[in-house]
Amino acid sequence: MSLRTAVAAPFRQAGSREMGESAFVVALSLDRDWFSPDQAKRLVDVAASEGLLERDDGELRVSFEPGSVDIPEGFTPEESILQERSTFERVLDALVDAGHDKQEAVAAVNGLQSELGVTIEAAAVLYAHRNAVDVQQHAETALGEL
């Protein structure tokens, strides 16, 4: 996922799991020239909403191991990662990351939604749970959306 890659890059460069928000913005905008400073700040918001970053009084802490993320040579993130994704899209990404075929997962989720008469998010969380994919954080969001 390119969002995870973009978030990991400044932390890998700094060799740390924590850094100031301003240093993170500088790393993405000036050091790497991937985003404008405003876009880099938007990335912080999106990454925090996705659970990839935690904010604490101007400091950022990455919630995953940045060293485990491969940053391909010549990688440049797409601007689309600056958009927040729905709970359904997040669960679907988790399923795909766990090795499930995207089209099959969407078809199964749609079937569950129709069968149970629940939201698409609830159906996606149920499908992920039935397939042993951990989407606990997204389940709480889906519950709040019911």
Side-chain angles (χ1 to χ4, degrees):
M1 164 196 281
S2 61
L3 176 60
R4 183 179 291 265
T5 305
V7 169
F11 289 97
R12 285 184 59 156
Q13 180 180 338
S16 175
R17 293 186 64 165
E18 295 182 27
M19 67 186 337
E21 186 169 341
S22 59
F24 183 84
V25 168
V26 167
L28 291 176
S29 60
L30 297 177
D31 295 349
R32 293 188 178 266
D33 197 29
W34 284 349
F35 301 106
S36 70
D38 287 340
Q39 288 174 318
K41 290 175 187 175
R42 174 74 184 134
L43 182 82
V44 171
D45 293 337
V46 171
S49 75
E50 298 266 341
L52 298 175
L53 287 176
E54 298 170 11
R55 284 179 156 151
D56 185 24
D57 200 28
E59 293 292 312
L60 299 176
R61 178 170 173 73
V62 69
S63 63
F64 59 93
E65 180 53 54
S68 69
V69 177
D70 181 42
I71 303 173
E73 186 73 29
F75 170 80
T76 302
E78 299 173 4
E79 266 190 59
S80 63
I81 67 170
L82 300 176
Q83 300 171 355
E84 289 193 51
R85 298 175 305 147
S86 69
T87 301
F88 170 72
E89 291 169 316
R90 294 176 191 176
V91 173
L92 185 59
D93 282 349
L95 286 163
V96 170
D97 288 349
H100 294 265
D101 179 76
K102 187 174 186 174
Q103 289 180 328
E104 288 176 15
V106 169
V109 168
N110 285 336
L112 274 174
Q113 180 188 19
S114 179
E115 176 187 332
L116 300 174
V118 295
T119 65
I120 191 78
E121 293 82 6
V125 167
L126 178 59
Y127 179 79
H129 177 72
R130 287 181 176 175
N131 287 278
V133 176
D134 182 19
V135 292
Q136 180 63 38
Q137 176 184 2
H138 306 307
E140 293 170 11
T141 303
L143 180 60
E145 293 172 353
L146 284 176

